[in-house]
Amino acid sequence: MRLGFLGLGVMGTPMAINLSKHYPLTAWNRSASKFHALKTSSPTARFAPTPTAVALNSDIIFTMLFNAPAIDSILTTSFLSSLRDKILINTSSIPVSYSQHLSTLIHSAGGKYIEMPVSGSKAPAEQGQLVGMIAGDPDVVETIVKPVVKPLTCAAVYCGKEIGSGLKMKYAVNTLLITLTVGLAESMNLARAQGLDLEAWGKVLAAGPMASRYSGVKVEKMLRGDWEAQAAIKDCFNSTELIRAAAREVGVECPVMDVCGGLYGRAVEGGLGAEDMSAVGKVIGKV
């Protein structure tokens, strides 16, 4: 089984590395310099000059690109033609309607389309501990996709045959993730403003019923002032926009997400887009 991977960003690079340990892998990224980390970890991995070249040399192609416009930019006639009898697995966070459009395009080209957005950030991606939320043909998922994505995931949950089911699941899950992150940042800001010992604040959180693996990682980063992105603010803002749009479409209020979206928007405007999502606390100032 030959694999292709399109998009070697914060998440894409560790995902491609894990896959390349088990399968022959060809990768592409808009900036070729991003291939260095993959090549260093996986000497057998190959770099292709175009997405079409990746598809021609692969049986299954993964996409981990920033958004729908980024995917649009690779959908050339030659790329679509090269997908005949191939499977494209999209792991990018995009609108449901766009994923359905992508599915139609790929099926029209004679390929198969599977949706698998992932839950997790850089560290789980490096550890092969992402959670995949899969939608598409159940036979393809069970016989081909689930075995192939084992190096990436601690769980690959089938969310339904209808394309969009995986993305809708991610929107729901990320609603909790984003509000929790903003809550941690706000809690730390209040503790700091009150003159509390922040190490003691971290210990109280870790000892209480609200502690989790996620909060432990984020609190440790925040205490160190480590803003290297595990999941970048710009990606988190993109996620808030997708969640709010999904809520409007089904007529559901998301008041907390509206606030979080506003804060992440301010962070992006303030030049913090490349920092970790926990750095949102920098825009939560004094009244």
Side-chain angles (χ1 to χ4, degrees):
M1 186 76 72
R2 302 169 304 160
L3 303 187
F5 207 97
L6 305 176
L8 299 175
V10 171
M11 295 290 289
T13 294
M15 291 170 69
I17 288 171
N18 285 333
L19 289 170
S20 69
K21 293 176 182 177
H22 300 268
Y23 301 96
L25 185 135
T26 304
W28 171 86
N29 190 73
R30 198 173 310 279
S31 170
S33 62
K34 292 286 186 72
F35 181 66
H36 178 72
L38 172 58
K39 188 67 175 177
T40 300
S41 297
S42 306
T44 60
R46 297 189 299 166
F47 184 79
T50 64
T52 298
V54 170
L56 288 172
N57 288 281
S58 307
D59 302 303
I60 298 176
I61 302 96
F62 288 80
T63 54
M64 177 50 98
L65 299 169
F66 179 60
N67 56 14
I71 297 175
D72 258 343
S73 70
I74 71 169
L75 297 180
T76 61
T77 301
S78 61
F79 176 72
L80 290 171
S81 297
S82 67
L83 295 179
R84 179 168 294 279
D85 299 324
K86 310 291 179 72
I87 299 171
L88 188 141
I89 303 174
N90 176 55
T91 65
S92 311
S93 292
I94 54 177
V96 167
S97 59
Y98 185 81
S99 189
Q100 293 167 342
H101 164 69
L102 195 55
S103 177
T104 299
L105 281 179
I106 291 167
H107 280 94
S108 296
K112 294 182 174 65
Y113 177 78
I114 297 295
E115 180 180 273
M116 195 189 79
V118 293
S119 179
S121 55
K122 182 181 177 182
E126 291 172 339
Q127 298 158 6
Q129 294 293 299
L130 297 169
V131 178
M133 292 157 279
I134 307 178
D137 185 313
D139 293 331
V140 174
V141 170
E142 289 298 324
T143 60
I144 301 175
V145 174
K146 281 191 174 182
V148 167
V149 301
K150 279 185 178 179
L152 304 178
T153 61
C154 61
V157 181
Y158 185 64
C159 299
K161 184 175 182 178
E162 180 182 351
I163 295 299
S165 302
L167 284 161
K168 290 175 182 178
M169 186 67 74
K170 181 167 183 177
Y171 299 161
V173 170
N174 272 10
T175 296
L176 176 59
L177 171 70
I178 290 167
T179 55
L180 174 60
T181 306
V182 172
L184 285 173
E186 188 168 326
S187 174
M188 182 176 181
N189 278 12
L190 181 59
R192 181 190 289 113
Q194 293 180 120
L196 296 175
D197 180 335
L198 293 183
E199 292 290 340
W201 167 80
K203 289 178 181 178
V204 171
L205 283 180
M210 296 173 291
S212 65
R213 285 183 296 172
Y214 178 77
S215 66
V217 169
K218 290 304 181 190
V219 167
E220 183 180 342
K221 282 178 68 67
M222 292 159 66
L223 289 174
R224 294 199 312 267
D226 173 12
W227 309 119
E228 181 182 355
Q230 293 176 323
I233 278 178
K234 62 180 180 180
D235 297 314
C236 192
F237 176 63
N238 182 53
S239 186
T240 65
E241 293 292 278
L242 291 170
I243 292 167
R244 294 165 78 188
R248 288 193 298 270
E249 186 173 335
V250 295
V252 171
E253 286 189 288
C254 270
V256 179
M257 187 53 56
D258 288 338
V259 172
C260 293
L263 291 170
Y264 277 106
R266 282 168 50 191
V268 171
E269 291 171 1
L272 303 176
E275 296 193 3
D276 188 75
M277 63 188 292
S278 58
V280 69
K282 294 182 181 183
V283 299
I284 305 175
K286 292 185 177 181
V287 296

